[in-house]
Amino acid sequence: MPPARQIGEITVEIRWLEAFIAVAEELHFGRAAQRLRIAQSPLSQTIRRLEASVGADLFERNTRSVALTPAGSALLPMAYRVIQDLALATAAARAASGAVHGTVRIGFSGAFNHLTLPVLARTVRRELPDIDLQLVSRVRTGDGLVKLRNGTLDIAFVGLPITAEGVASRLIARTELGAALPVDHPLADEASISAAQLADDDFLSMPMDGSSSMAEALMRCCIAAGFRPRVTQEITDPYIMLTLVAAGLGVSVIAEDLAPIMPRGARWVRFHDEPQYMLHGIAWMTDEQSAAVSAVLGLSEKILPTPAD
């Protein structure tokens, strides 16, 4: 039996009021039905049941428009109050139980976070089962910072360092950079090479517009070796970039943690130069956080600790 609420001497179901509010706000049964993710016919039946219980028509309907009647206008603020009271009561009960509830949206890049995201997601689902974890893929560092600041993400996997006002970050992994080469490249069978040996090669890179920390790492590594890479193609998806390396369209510089998922036809080769590193981190807004976001960040410190220097 769905929850019900007494309004005066009238008993109505909460879902009736939710349907009523949706129609009152949309003033269109079709749009309200889409918003509630139900068919239009059941929605109309729900409104008729509510009207029968109230004893008055709540909407004026014709083929062109829907409008609130005086009775509907009188009921709307009371309906809002009932829904709000229910939400407050539910939140109070959850807080008293000690369980953490809520939604946490995490942005990540599939290839670069194949080692870190799964362990975090599995642990959250096991230890914080009342948190709804929403994972957003193909989020580069620059995209993640924008989405954190506009409120569409709560946590983002990023490359470090970052500089963004109001955004905090923490290092979770440090991996050495090396070369991604086609298997038929003259240097592909070497145990290690110098980055300078690639100075005459065509390079494939993530976007060089400042949105990708991997592209910045590539540039940093090559400049440290004494040359600027000749980037012939920029690719937004890191695994597609590695696939094009395997196809022989160029070389790249990537972190060692991508070596296990290199496509057939490509190989990761270590540099014997002064080591250069890719720094992986997570970022979040420093302003007031929900209990759910705080809980996930706290859990991340245990399962993805900051590595020692």
PDB file of all heavy atoms in Angstrom, residues 174-195:
ATOM      1  N   ARG A 174      51.432   7.563  -8.576  1.00  0.00           N
ATOM      2  CA  ARG A 174      52.531   8.173  -9.316  1.00  0.00           C
ATOM      3  C   ARG A 174      53.110   7.101 -10.225  1.00  0.00           C
ATOM      4  O   ARG A 174      53.598   6.077  -9.737  1.00  0.00           O
ATOM      5  CB  ARG A 174      53.594   8.698  -8.346  1.00  0.00           C
ATOM      6  CG  ARG A 174      54.796   9.349  -9.012  1.00  0.00           C
ATOM      7  CD  ARG A 174      55.897   9.648  -8.011  1.00  0.00           C
ATOM      8  NE  ARG A 174      55.487  10.618  -7.011  1.00  0.00           N
ATOM      9  CZ  ARG A 174      55.214  10.325  -5.743  1.00  0.00           C
ATOM     10  NH1 ARG A 174      55.320   9.068  -5.326  1.00  0.00           N
ATOM     11  NH2 ARG A 174      54.857  11.247  -4.892  1.00  0.00           N
ATOM     12  N   THR A 175      53.025   7.290 -11.556  1.00  0.00           N
ATOM     13  CA  THR A 175      53.486   6.250 -12.481  1.00  0.00           C
ATOM     14  C   THR A 175      54.481   6.827 -13.476  1.00  0.00           C
ATOM     15  O   THR A 175      54.324   7.960 -13.945  1.00  0.00           O
ATOM     16  CB  THR A 175      52.300   5.618 -13.239  1.00  0.00           C
ATOM     17  OG1 THR A 175      51.534   6.634 -13.879  1.00  0.00           O
ATOM     18  CG2 THR A 175      51.410   4.849 -12.286  1.00  0.00           C
ATOM     19  N   GLU A 176      55.481   6.022 -13.800  1.00  0.00           N
ATOM     20  CA  GLU A 176      56.572   6.474 -14.665  1.00  0.00           C
ATOM     21  C   GLU A 176      56.114   6.555 -16.121  1.00  0.00           C
ATOM     22  O   GLU A 176      55.339   5.721 -16.588  1.00  0.00           O
ATOM     23  CB  GLU A 176      57.745   5.514 -14.525  1.00  0.00           C
ATOM     24  CG  GLU A 176      59.026   6.012 -15.158  1.00  0.00           C
ATOM     25  CD  GLU A 176      60.220   5.142 -14.805  1.00  0.00           C
ATOM     26  OE1 GLU A 176      60.130   4.391 -13.810  1.00  0.00           O
ATOM     27  OE2 GLU A 176      61.236   5.216 -15.525  1.00  0.00           O
ATOM     28  N   LEU A 177      56.606   7.560 -16.824  1.00  0.00           N
ATOM     29  CA  LEU A 177      56.299   7.727 -18.238  1.00  0.00           C
ATOM     30  C   LEU A 177      57.263   6.918 -19.106  1.00  0.00           C
ATOM     31  O   LEU A 177      58.445   6.765 -18.773  1.00  0.00           O
ATOM     32  CB  LEU A 177      56.378   9.202 -18.635  1.00  0.00           C
ATOM     33  CG  LEU A 177      55.352  10.136 -17.982  1.00  0.00           C
ATOM     34  CD1 LEU A 177      55.653  11.587 -18.350  1.00  0.00           C
ATOM     35  CD2 LEU A 177      53.943   9.764 -18.400  1.00  0.00           C
ATOM     36  N   GLY A 178      56.732   6.394 -20.208  1.00  0.00           N
ATOM     37  CA  GLY A 178      57.551   5.673 -21.172  1.00  0.00           C
ATOM     38  C   GLY A 178      56.977   5.864 -22.568  1.00  0.00           C
ATOM     39  O   GLY A 178      56.037   6.643 -22.768  1.00  0.00           O
ATOM     40  N   ALA A 179      57.508   5.151 -23.524  1.00  0.00           N
ATOM     41  CA  ALA A 179      57.100   5.316 -24.914  1.00  0.00           C
ATOM     42  C   ALA A 179      56.081   4.258 -25.309  1.00  0.00           C
ATOM     43  O   ALA A 179      56.203   3.087 -24.945  1.00  0.00           O
ATOM     44  CB  ALA A 179      58.306   5.220 -25.839  1.00  0.00           C
ATOM     45  N   ALA A 180      55.063   4.680 -26.062  1.00  0.00           N
ATOM     46  CA  ALA A 180      54.132   3.762 -26.715  1.00  0.00           C
ATOM     47  C   ALA A 180      54.553   3.689 -28.179  1.00  0.00           C
ATOM     48  O   ALA A 180      54.501   4.691 -28.901  1.00  0.00           O
ATOM     49  CB  ALA A 180      52.701   4.263 -26.588  1.00  0.00           C
ATOM     50  N   LEU A 181      54.971   2.494 -28.619  1.00  0.00           N
ATOM     51  CA  LEU A 181      55.533   2.326 -29.960  1.00  0.00           C
ATOM     52  C   LEU A 181      54.792   1.225 -30.714  1.00  0.00           C
ATOM     53  O   LEU A 181      54.349   0.237 -30.110  1.00  0.00           O
ATOM     54  CB  LEU A 181      57.016   1.936 -29.873  1.00  0.00           C
ATOM     55  CG  LEU A 181      57.945   2.835 -29.063  1.00  0.00           C
ATOM     56  CD1 LEU A 181      59.349   2.232 -29.036  1.00  0.00           C
ATOM     57  CD2 LEU A 181      57.978   4.236 -29.625  1.00  0.00           C
ATOM     58  N   PRO A 182      54.685   1.354 -32.033  1.00  0.00           N
ATOM     59  CA  PRO A 182      54.206   0.213 -32.831  1.00  0.00           C
ATOM     60  C   PRO A 182      55.204  -0.931 -32.712  1.00  0.00           C
ATOM     61  O   PRO A 182      56.413  -0.698 -32.552  1.00  0.00           O
ATOM     62  CB  PRO A 182      54.163   0.762 -34.256  1.00  0.00           C
ATOM     63  CG  PRO A 182      54.261   2.247 -34.127  1.00  0.00           C
ATOM     64  CD  PRO A 182      55.002   2.531 -32.860  1.00  0.00           C
ATOM     65  N   VAL A 183      54.725  -2.171 -32.790  1.00  0.00           N
ATOM     66  CA  VAL A 183      55.635  -3.309 -32.603  1.00  0.00           C
ATOM     67  C   VAL A 183      56.701  -3.390 -33.699  1.00  0.00           C
ATOM     68  O   VAL A 183      57.747  -4.017 -33.501  1.00  0.00           O
ATOM     69  CB  VAL A 183      54.846  -4.639 -32.543  1.00  0.00           C
ATOM     70  CG1 VAL A 183      54.011  -4.710 -31.285  1.00  0.00           C
ATOM     71  CG2 VAL A 183      53.996  -4.823 -33.790  1.00  0.00           C
ATOM     72  N   ASP A 184      56.466  -2.771 -34.864  1.00  0.00           N
ATOM     73  CA  ASP A 184      57.470  -2.802 -35.921  1.00  0.00           C
ATOM     74  C   ASP A 184      58.366  -1.562 -35.912  1.00  0.00           C
ATOM     75  O   ASP A 184      59.135  -1.337 -36.849  1.00  0.00           O
ATOM     76  CB  ASP A 184      56.804  -2.969 -37.287  1.00  0.00           C
ATOM     77  CG  ASP A 184      55.806  -1.857 -37.599  1.00  0.00           C
ATOM     78  OD1 ASP A 184      55.576  -0.992 -36.713  1.00  0.00           O
ATOM     79  OD2 ASP A 184      55.247  -1.852 -38.708  1.00  0.00           O
ATOM     80  N   HIS A 185      58.285  -0.765 -34.844  1.00  0.00           N
ATOM     81  CA  HIS A 185      59.171   0.398 -34.714  1.00  0.00           C
ATOM     82  C   HIS A 185      60.597  -0.106 -34.455  1.00  0.00           C
ATOM     83  O   HIS A 185      60.789  -1.107 -33.762  1.00  0.00           O
ATOM     84  CB  HIS A 185      58.700   1.285 -33.562  1.00  0.00           C
ATOM     85  CG  HIS A 185      59.371   2.614 -33.498  1.00  0.00           C
ATOM     86  ND1 HIS A 185      60.640   2.783 -32.975  1.00  0.00           N
ATOM     87  CD2 HIS A 185      58.952   3.853 -33.879  1.00  0.00           C
ATOM     88  CE1 HIS A 185      60.961   4.071 -33.029  1.00  0.00           C
ATOM     89  NE2 HIS A 185      59.959   4.750 -33.584  1.00  0.00           N
ATOM     90  N   PRO A 186      61.615   0.553 -35.002  1.00  0.00           N
ATOM     91  CA  PRO A 186      63.001   0.094 -34.808  1.00  0.00           C
ATOM     92  C   PRO A 186      63.418  -0.031 -33.344  1.00  0.00           C
ATOM     93  O   PRO A 186      64.336  -0.796 -33.026  1.00  0.00           O
ATOM     94  CB  PRO A 186      63.832   1.171 -35.525  1.00  0.00           C
ATOM     95  CG  PRO A 186      62.910   1.749 -36.540  1.00  0.00           C
ATOM     96  CD  PRO A 186      61.538   1.698 -35.930  1.00  0.00           C
ATOM     97  N   LEU A 187      62.749   0.697 -32.439  1.00  0.00           N
ATOM     98  CA  LEU A 187      63.128   0.670 -31.027  1.00  0.00           C
ATOM     99  C   LEU A 187      62.198  -0.190 -30.174  1.00  0.00           C
ATOM    100  O   LEU A 187      62.391  -0.287 -28.960  1.00  0.00           O
ATOM    101  CB  LEU A 187      63.149   2.096 -30.457  1.00  0.00           C
ATOM    102  CG  LEU A 187      64.085   3.090 -31.142  1.00  0.00           C
ATOM    103  CD1 LEU A 187      63.873   4.493 -30.586  1.00  0.00           C
ATOM    104  CD2 LEU A 187      65.545   2.662 -30.968  1.00  0.00           C
ATOM    105  N   ALA A 188      61.220  -0.833 -30.784  1.00  0.00           N
ATOM    106  CA  ALA A 188      60.180  -1.511 -30.007  1.00  0.00           C
ATOM    107  C   ALA A 188      60.706  -2.687 -29.211  1.00  0.00           C
ATOM    108  O   ALA A 188      60.127  -3.044 -28.174  1.00  0.00           O
ATOM    109  CB  ALA A 188      59.059  -1.976 -30.934  1.00  0.00           C
ATOM    110  N   ASP A 189      61.812  -3.309 -29.641  1.00  0.00           N
ATOM    111  CA  ASP A 189      62.325  -4.486 -28.942  1.00  0.00           C
ATOM    112  C   ASP A 189      63.418  -4.151 -27.933  1.00  0.00           C
ATOM    113  O   ASP A 189      63.971  -5.059 -27.296  1.00  0.00           O
ATOM    114  CB  ASP A 189      62.866  -5.496 -29.959  1.00  0.00           C
ATOM    115  CG  ASP A 189      61.758  -6.100 -30.814  1.00  0.00           C
ATOM    116  OD1 ASP A 189      60.639  -6.260 -30.286  1.00  0.00           O
ATOM    117  OD2 ASP A 189      62.006  -6.381 -31.999  1.00  0.00           O
ATOM    118  N   GLU A 190      63.705  -2.871 -27.761  1.00  0.00           N
ATOM    119  CA  GLU A 190      64.716  -2.457 -26.791  1.00  0.00           C
ATOM    120  C   GLU A 190      64.161  -2.574 -25.376  1.00  0.00           C
ATOM    121  O   GLU A 190      62.971  -2.375 -25.138  1.00  0.00           O
ATOM    122  CB  GLU A 190      65.153  -1.015 -27.055  1.00  0.00           C
ATOM    123  CG  GLU A 190      65.796  -0.785 -28.411  1.00  0.00           C
ATOM    124  CD  GLU A 190      67.145  -1.483 -28.532  1.00  0.00           C
ATOM    125  OE1 GLU A 190      67.860  -1.579 -27.510  1.00  0.00           O
ATOM    126  OE2 GLU A 190      67.468  -1.948 -29.646  1.00  0.00           O
ATOM    127  N   ALA A 191      65.044  -2.891 -24.417  1.00  0.00           N
ATOM    128  CA  ALA A 191      64.623  -2.950 -23.016  1.00  0.00           C
ATOM    129  C   ALA A 191      64.308  -1.554 -22.489  1.00  0.00           C
ATOM    130  O   ALA A 191      63.403  -1.383 -21.668  1.00  0.00           O
ATOM    131  CB  ALA A 191      65.714  -3.605 -22.163  1.00  0.00           C
ATOM    132  N   SER A 192      65.044  -0.561 -22.944  1.00  0.00           N
ATOM    133  CA  SER A 192      64.788   0.829 -22.578  1.00  0.00           C
ATOM    134  C   SER A 192      65.419   1.715 -23.632  1.00  0.00           C
ATOM    135  O   SER A 192      66.340   1.290 -24.353  1.00  0.00           O
ATOM    136  CB  SER A 192      65.343   1.156 -21.185  1.00  0.00           C
ATOM    137  OG  SER A 192      66.761   1.083 -21.186  1.00  0.00           O
ATOM    138  N   ILE A 193      64.895   2.922 -23.739  1.00  0.00           N
ATOM    139  CA  ILE A 193      65.411   3.874 -24.718  1.00  0.00           C
ATOM    140  C   ILE A 193      65.487   5.252 -24.074  1.00  0.00           C
ATOM    141  O   ILE A 193      64.985   5.471 -22.958  1.00  0.00           O
ATOM    142  CB  ILE A 193      64.515   3.954 -25.978  1.00  0.00           C
ATOM    143  CG1 ILE A 193      63.124   4.471 -25.605  1.00  0.00           C
ATOM    144  CG2 ILE A 193      64.440   2.601 -26.666  1.00  0.00           C
ATOM    145  CD1 ILE A 193      62.224   4.737 -26.794  1.00  0.00           C
ATOM    146  N   SER A 194      66.093   6.189 -24.780  1.00  0.00           N
ATOM    147  CA  SER A 194      66.053   7.587 -24.386  1.00  0.00           C
ATOM    148  C   SER A 194      64.924   8.264 -25.148  1.00  0.00           C
ATOM    149  O   SER A 194      64.705   7.984 -26.335  1.00  0.00           O
ATOM    150  CB  SER A 194      67.368   8.291 -24.699  1.00  0.00           C
ATOM    151  OG  SER A 194      67.234   9.698 -24.534  1.00  0.00           O
ATOM    152  N   ALA A 195      64.200   9.145 -24.493  1.00  0.00           N
ATOM    153  CA  ALA A 195      63.134   9.872 -25.176  1.00  0.00           C
ATOM    154  C   ALA A 195      63.673  10.640 -26.373  1.00  0.00           C
ATOM    155  O   ALA A 195      62.983  10.810 -27.389  1.00  0.00           O
ATOM    156  CB  ALA A 195      62.435  10.822 -24.208  1.00  0.00           C
TER     157      ALA A 195
END
